[in-house]
Amino acid sequence: NAGVTQTPKFQVLKTGQSMTLQCAQDMNHNSMYWYRQDPGMGLRLIYYSASEGTTDKGEVPNGYNVSRLNKREFSLRLESAAPSQTSVYFCASRDLLSSGVNEQFFGPGTRLTVL
Amino acid sequence: AQSVTQLDSHVSVSEGTPVLLRCNYSSSYSPSLFWYVQHPNKGLQLLLKYTSAATLVKGINGFEAEFKKSETSFHLTKPSAHMSDAAEYFCVVTRFSGGYNKLIFGAGTRLAVHP
């Protein structure tokens, strides 16, 4: 199993450009998440998808959109990139069981720089 | 509301000496708590998790953490540091919101290990 994969690994954009970050998981997990990581702030949730066909806003959704394409894939789109969106983006997935709390599994991250 | 505070942004130890990374949490109900590790330019890996079973939790690579409800703490320890332990460590608490458990991250503690 590859786990959680993300593409691209690095990206540089100019202000106003758009792009889509791709995420896929092969663990048959129901829930998927997008986070951004900024120095001294830990990880903050941008959007999540509890199950195929549903998406919800997290703590910092402004400037982003998401698509849960199928159970495996969850993409994050920046319609008009801004320098404040320079960050490292992590995708994660989790197996939503009826009981217990399961950890999230993280991808390797995408380092995005907006000039 | 659930939150987590990592009391040290940087910790430096010598190889072979004990490691202590401190975490305090705030939760309005019995929490689930995690420690994740992030090596440079890598994704996040789960070290250990507390889910209301034993209060002393053992994780990978010789790490363990003790849940102390009276002190609202979940400190991470290791008896003897290894050079490969140099990384950033995140204490995480779950928050139940909108019918789902979400992860709330601390700001992180960067551990340096010196020869």
Side-chain angles (χ1 to χ4, degrees), chain B residues 42-71:
Chain B
K42 301 288 187 183
L44 282 79
Q45 180 184 18
L46 180 71
L47 271 180
L48 50 82
K49 62 181 177 181
Y50 166 77
T51 56
S52 76
T55 56
L56 182 62
V57 182
K58 293 189 184 298
I60 62 172
N61 301 333
F63 284 94
E64 62 182 36
E66 186 171 8
F67 174 74
K68 292 187 176 180
K69 186 175 181 179
S70 61
E71 299 177 10

mmCIF file of all heavy atoms in Angstrom, chain B residues 42-71:
data_model
loop_
_atom_site.group_PDB
_atom_site.id
_atom_site.type_symbol
_atom_site.label_atom_id
_atom_site.label_comp_id
_atom_site.label_asym_id
_atom_site.label_seq_id
_atom_site.Cartn_x
_atom_site.Cartn_y
_atom_site.Cartn_z
ATOM 1 N N LYS B 42 9.305 15.719 5.713
ATOM 2 C CA LYS B 42 8.491 14.501 5.656
ATOM 3 C C LYS B 42 7.079 14.791 6.150
ATOM 4 O O LYS B 42 6.804 15.848 6.707
ATOM 5 C CB LYS B 42 9.111 13.407 6.535
ATOM 6 C CG LYS B 42 10.522 13.012 6.149
ATOM 7 C CD LYS B 42 10.546 12.215 4.865
ATOM 8 C CE LYS B 42 11.943 11.691 4.601
ATOM 9 N NZ LYS B 42 12.020 10.952 3.311
ATOM 10 N N GLY B 43 6.195 13.818 5.937
ATOM 11 C CA GLY B 43 4.855 13.917 6.482
ATOM 12 C C GLY B 43 4.842 13.581 7.964
ATOM 13 O O GLY B 43 5.878 13.385 8.586
ATOM 14 N N LEU B 44 3.646 13.532 8.547
ATOM 15 C CA LEU B 44 3.496 13.254 9.967
ATOM 16 C C LEU B 44 3.270 11.764 10.202
ATOM 17 O O LEU B 44 2.507 11.124 9.487
ATOM 18 C CB LEU B 44 2.328 14.045 10.547
ATOM 19 C CG LEU B 44 2.593 15.516 10.831
ATOM 20 C CD1 LEU B 44 2.523 16.330 9.551
ATOM 21 C CD2 LEU B 44 1.609 16.046 11.847
ATOM 22 N N GLN B 45 3.898 11.259 11.240
ATOM 23 C CA GLN B 45 3.776 9.858 11.599
ATOM 24 C C GLN B 45 3.268 9.759 13.031
ATOM 25 O O GLN B 45 3.742 10.464 13.919
ATOM 26 C CB GLN B 45 5.135 9.166 11.492
ATOM 27 C CG GLN B 45 5.111 7.693 11.844
ATOM 28 C CD GLN B 45 6.495 7.068 11.829
ATOM 29 O OE1 GLN B 45 7.515 7.753 11.878
ATOM 30 N NE2 GLN B 45 6.544 5.758 11.749
ATOM 31 N N LEU B 46 2.308 8.864 13.264
ATOM 32 C CA LEU B 46 1.769 8.699 14.605
ATOM 33 C C LEU B 46 2.784 8.005 15.504
ATOM 34 O O LEU B 46 3.302 6.947 15.170
ATOM 35 C CB LEU B 46 0.487 7.873 14.545
ATOM 36 C CG LEU B 46 -0.183 7.636 15.899
ATOM 37 C CD1 LEU B 46 -0.803 8.938 16.403
ATOM 38 C CD2 LEU B 46 -1.247 6.550 15.801
ATOM 39 N N LEU B 47 3.068 8.622 16.658
ATOM 40 C CA LEU B 47 3.936 8.009 17.666
ATOM 41 C C LEU B 47 3.135 7.150 18.637
ATOM 42 O O LEU B 47 3.520 6.029 18.951
ATOM 43 C CB LEU B 47 4.631 9.096 18.484
ATOM 44 C CG LEU B 47 5.965 9.647 18.016
ATOM 45 C CD1 LEU B 47 6.439 10.701 19.000
ATOM 46 C CD2 LEU B 47 6.998 8.550 17.859
ATOM 47 N N LEU B 48 2.050 7.714 19.150
ATOM 48 C CA LEU B 48 1.213 7.003 20.111
ATOM 49 C C LEU B 48 -0.124 7.718 20.255
ATOM 50 O O LEU B 48 -0.269 8.870 19.828
ATOM 51 C CB LEU B 48 1.901 6.884 21.469
ATOM 52 C CG LEU B 48 2.492 8.149 22.088
ATOM 53 C CD1 LEU B 48 1.446 8.987 22.796
ATOM 54 C CD2 LEU B 48 3.615 7.804 23.071
ATOM 55 N N LYS B 49 -1.090 7.015 20.878
ATOM 56 C CA LYS B 49 -2.396 7.616 21.091
ATOM 57 C C LYS B 49 -2.985 7.156 22.418
ATOM 58 O O LYS B 49 -2.751 6.029 22.872
ATOM 59 C CB LYS B 49 -3.366 7.285 19.954
ATOM 60 C CG LYS B 49 -3.674 5.807 19.788
ATOM 61 C CD LYS B 49 -4.633 5.607 18.606
ATOM 62 C CE LYS B 49 -4.893 4.118 18.375
ATOM 63 N NZ LYS B 49 -5.808 3.910 17.214
ATOM 64 N N TYR B 50 -3.733 8.043 23.047
ATOM 65 C CA TYR B 50 -4.461 7.740 24.278
ATOM 66 C C TYR B 50 -5.954 7.808 23.977
ATOM 67 O O TYR B 50 -6.443 8.813 23.451
ATOM 68 C CB TYR B 50 -4.117 8.740 25.370
ATOM 69 C CG TYR B 50 -5.069 8.671 26.534
ATOM 70 C CD1 TYR B 50 -4.973 7.649 27.459
ATOM 71 C CD2 TYR B 50 -6.099 9.607 26.672
ATOM 72 C CE1 TYR B 50 -5.875 7.556 28.497
ATOM 73 C CE2 TYR B 50 -6.997 9.524 27.717
ATOM 74 C CZ TYR B 50 -6.890 8.497 28.628
ATOM 75 O OH TYR B 50 -7.792 8.397 29.655
ATOM 76 N N THR B 51 -6.657 6.724 24.315
ATOM 77 C CA THR B 51 -8.096 6.699 24.057
ATOM 78 C C THR B 51 -8.862 6.165 25.251
ATOM 79 O O THR B 51 -9.806 5.414 25.113
ATOM 80 C CB THR B 51 -8.412 5.865 22.810
ATOM 81 O OG1 THR B 51 -7.868 4.543 22.998
ATOM 82 C CG2 THR B 51 -7.820 6.469 21.572
ATOM 83 N N SER B 52 -8.449 6.524 26.461
ATOM 84 C CA SER B 52 -9.120 6.230 27.736
ATOM 85 C C SER B 52 -8.948 4.790 28.203
ATOM 86 O O SER B 52 -9.681 4.351 29.075
ATOM 87 C CB SER B 52 -10.603 6.593 27.687
ATOM 88 O OG SER B 52 -11.332 5.634 26.952
ATOM 89 N N ALA B 53 -8.018 4.075 27.664
ATOM 90 C CA ALA B 53 -7.688 2.748 28.208
ATOM 91 C C ALA B 53 -6.611 2.972 29.289
ATOM 92 O O ALA B 53 -6.880 3.596 30.289
ATOM 93 C CB ALA B 53 -7.218 1.827 27.103
ATOM 94 N N ALA B 54 -5.422 2.494 29.118
ATOM 95 C CA ALA B 54 -4.347 2.701 30.100
ATOM 96 C C ALA B 54 -3.870 4.140 30.056
ATOM 97 O O ALA B 54 -3.800 4.751 28.993
ATOM 98 C CB ALA B 54 -3.183 1.768 29.802
ATOM 99 N N THR B 55 -3.529 4.691 31.225
ATOM 100 C CA THR B 55 -3.068 6.085 31.261
ATOM 101 C C THR B 55 -1.631 6.223 30.804
ATOM 102 O O THR B 55 -1.221 7.296 30.372
ATOM 103 C CB THR B 55 -3.204 6.674 32.672
ATOM 104 O OG1 THR B 55 -2.481 5.836 33.585
ATOM 105 C CG2 THR B 55 -4.661 6.729 33.101
ATOM 106 N N LEU B 56 -0.841 5.154 30.885
ATOM 107 C CA LEU B 56 0.529 5.172 30.372
ATOM 108 C C LEU B 56 0.503 4.483 29.014
ATOM 109 O O LEU B 56 0.181 3.313 28.905
ATOM 110 C CB LEU B 56 1.477 4.451 31.322
ATOM 111 C CG LEU B 56 2.956 4.462 30.904
ATOM 112 C CD1 LEU B 56 3.498 5.888 30.855
ATOM 113 C CD2 LEU B 56 3.775 3.609 31.854
ATOM 114 N N VAL B 57 0.852 5.242 28.005
ATOM 115 C CA VAL B 57 0.747 4.751 26.635
ATOM 116 C C VAL B 57 2.144 4.580 26.061
ATOM 117 O O VAL B 57 2.961 5.504 26.121
ATOM 118 C CB VAL B 57 -0.045 5.741 25.768
ATOM 119 C CG1 VAL B 57 -0.191 5.205 24.356
ATOM 120 C CG2 VAL B 57 -1.408 6.016 26.380
ATOM 121 N N LYS B 58 2.403 3.430 25.502
ATOM 122 C CA LYS B 58 3.697 3.188 24.860
ATOM 123 C C LYS B 58 3.544 3.337 23.355
ATOM 124 O O LYS B 58 2.563 2.871 22.765
ATOM 125 C CB LYS B 58 4.197 1.795 25.214
ATOM 126 C CG LYS B 58 4.548 1.657 26.709
ATOM 127 C CD LYS B 58 5.234 0.350 27.018
ATOM 128 C CE LYS B 58 5.480 0.192 28.512
ATOM 129 N NZ LYS B 58 6.389 1.259 29.029
ATOM 130 N N GLY B 59 4.542 3.967 22.756
ATOM 131 C CA GLY B 59 4.503 4.187 21.317
ATOM 132 C C GLY B 59 5.687 3.554 20.621
ATOM 133 O O GLY B 59 6.380 2.711 21.167
ATOM 134 N N ILE B 60 5.916 4.032 19.414
ATOM 135 C CA ILE B 60 7.024 3.495 18.635
ATOM 136 C C ILE B 60 8.339 4.165 19.043
ATOM 137 O O ILE B 60 8.337 5.227 19.665
ATOM 138 C CB ILE B 60 6.775 3.683 17.125
ATOM 139 C CG1 ILE B 60 6.671 5.175 16.784
ATOM 140 C CG2 ILE B 60 5.536 2.930 16.690
ATOM 141 C CD1 ILE B 60 6.621 5.451 15.295
ATOM 142 N N ASN B 61 9.435 3.524 18.705
ATOM 143 C CA ASN B 61 10.776 4.076 18.897
ATOM 144 C C ASN B 61 11.094 4.405 20.353
ATOM 145 O O ASN B 61 11.898 5.299 20.614
ATOM 146 C CB ASN B 61 10.982 5.334 18.030
ATOM 147 C CG ASN B 61 10.803 5.036 16.546
ATOM 148 O OD1 ASN B 61 11.016 3.915 16.097
ATOM 149 N ND2 ASN B 61 10.401 6.041 15.799
ATOM 150 N N GLY B 62 10.485 3.683 21.298
ATOM 151 C CA GLY B 62 10.803 3.854 22.704
ATOM 152 C C GLY B 62 10.130 5.022 23.398
ATOM 153 O O GLY B 62 10.396 5.292 24.569
ATOM 154 N N PHE B 63 9.251 5.728 22.714
ATOM 155 C CA PHE B 63 8.535 6.852 23.322
ATOM 156 C C PHE B 63 7.333 6.350 24.122
ATOM 157 O O PHE B 63 6.742 5.336 23.806
ATOM 158 C CB PHE B 63 8.050 7.828 22.249
ATOM 159 C CG PHE B 63 9.137 8.700 21.695
ATOM 160 C CD1 PHE B 63 9.817 8.335 20.539
ATOM 161 C CD2 PHE B 63 9.477 9.879 22.324
ATOM 162 C CE1 PHE B 63 10.823 9.134 20.034
ATOM 163 C CE2 PHE B 63 10.476 10.695 21.822
ATOM 164 C CZ PHE B 63 11.150 10.317 20.673
ATOM 165 N N GLU B 64 6.986 7.102 25.145
ATOM 166 C CA GLU B 64 5.772 6.844 25.887
ATOM 167 C C GLU B 64 5.226 8.162 26.416
ATOM 168 O O GLU B 64 5.932 9.166 26.472
ATOM 169 C CB GLU B 64 5.971 5.844 27.018
ATOM 170 C CG GLU B 64 6.935 6.251 28.102
ATOM 171 C CD GLU B 64 7.091 5.147 29.136
ATOM 172 O OE1 GLU B 64 7.076 3.943 28.779
ATOM 173 O OE2 GLU B 64 7.234 5.488 30.324
ATOM 174 N N ALA B 65 3.951 8.147 26.780
ATOM 175 C CA ALA B 65 3.308 9.345 27.308
ATOM 176 C C ALA B 65 2.334 8.927 28.398
ATOM 177 O O ALA B 65 1.742 7.850 28.337
ATOM 178 C CB ALA B 65 2.574 10.101 26.205
ATOM 179 N N GLU B 66 2.184 9.796 29.394
ATOM 180 C CA GLU B 66 1.281 9.507 30.497
ATOM 181 C C GLU B 66 0.157 10.530 30.535
ATOM 182 O O GLU B 66 0.416 11.743 30.573
ATOM 183 C CB GLU B 66 2.017 9.509 31.832
ATOM 184 C CG GLU B 66 1.128 9.072 32.998
ATOM 185 C CD GLU B 66 1.897 8.872 34.281
ATOM 186 O OE1 GLU B 66 3.096 9.213 34.328
ATOM 187 O OE2 GLU B 66 1.281 8.381 35.244
ATOM 188 N N PHE B 67 -1.055 10.048 30.521
ATOM 189 C CA PHE B 67 -2.226 10.903 30.621
ATOM 190 C C PHE B 67 -2.504 11.187 32.097
ATOM 191 O O PHE B 67 -2.713 10.251 32.874
ATOM 192 C CB PHE B 67 -3.440 10.218 29.983
ATOM 193 C CG PHE B 67 -4.726 10.963 30.156
ATOM 194 C CD1 PHE B 67 -4.972 12.115 29.426
ATOM 195 C CD2 PHE B 67 -5.699 10.513 31.041
ATOM 196 C CE1 PHE B 67 -6.169 12.802 29.577
ATOM 197 C CE2 PHE B 67 -6.893 11.194 31.196
ATOM 198 C CZ PHE B 67 -7.129 12.335 30.459
ATOM 199 N N LYS B 68 -2.479 12.467 32.468
ATOM 200 C CA LYS B 68 -2.767 12.859 33.852
ATOM 201 C C LYS B 68 -3.938 13.828 33.832
ATOM 202 O O LYS B 68 -3.780 15.025 33.541
ATOM 203 C CB LYS B 68 -1.543 13.508 34.496
ATOM 204 C CG LYS B 68 -0.389 12.538 34.729
ATOM 205 C CD LYS B 68 0.736 13.199 35.517
ATOM 206 C CE LYS B 68 1.848 12.211 35.828
ATOM 207 N NZ LYS B 68 2.945 12.827 36.595
ATOM 208 N N LYS B 69 -5.106 13.297 34.179
ATOM 209 C CA LYS B 69 -6.312 14.105 34.125
ATOM 210 C C LYS B 69 -6.253 15.267 35.111
ATOM 211 O O LYS B 69 -6.676 16.385 34.803
ATOM 212 C CB LYS B 69 -7.532 13.227 34.416
ATOM 213 C CG LYS B 69 -8.856 13.931 34.235
ATOM 214 C CD LYS B 69 -10.013 12.979 34.417
ATOM 215 C CE LYS B 69 -11.350 13.700 34.202
ATOM 216 N NZ LYS B 69 -12.495 12.765 34.361
ATOM 217 N N SER B 70 -5.716 15.014 36.319
ATOM 218 C CA SER B 70 -5.679 16.056 37.349
ATOM 219 C C SER B 70 -4.814 17.236 36.919
ATOM 220 O O SER B 70 -5.041 18.368 37.351
ATOM 221 C CB SER B 70 -5.164 15.476 38.658
ATOM 222 O OG SER B 70 -3.856 14.974 38.502
ATOM 223 N N GLU B 71 -3.825 16.973 36.086
ATOM 224 C CA GLU B 71 -2.924 18.024 35.627
ATOM 225 C C GLU B 71 -3.239 18.446 34.183
ATOM 226 O O GLU B 71 -2.570 19.330 33.652
ATOM 227 C CB GLU B 71 -1.471 17.542 35.711
ATOM 228 C CG GLU B 71 -1.031 17.188 37.123
ATOM 229 C CD GLU B 71 0.386 16.638 37.175
ATOM 230 O OE1 GLU B 71 1.094 16.697 36.157
ATOM 231 O OE2 GLU B 71 0.765 16.130 38.245
#
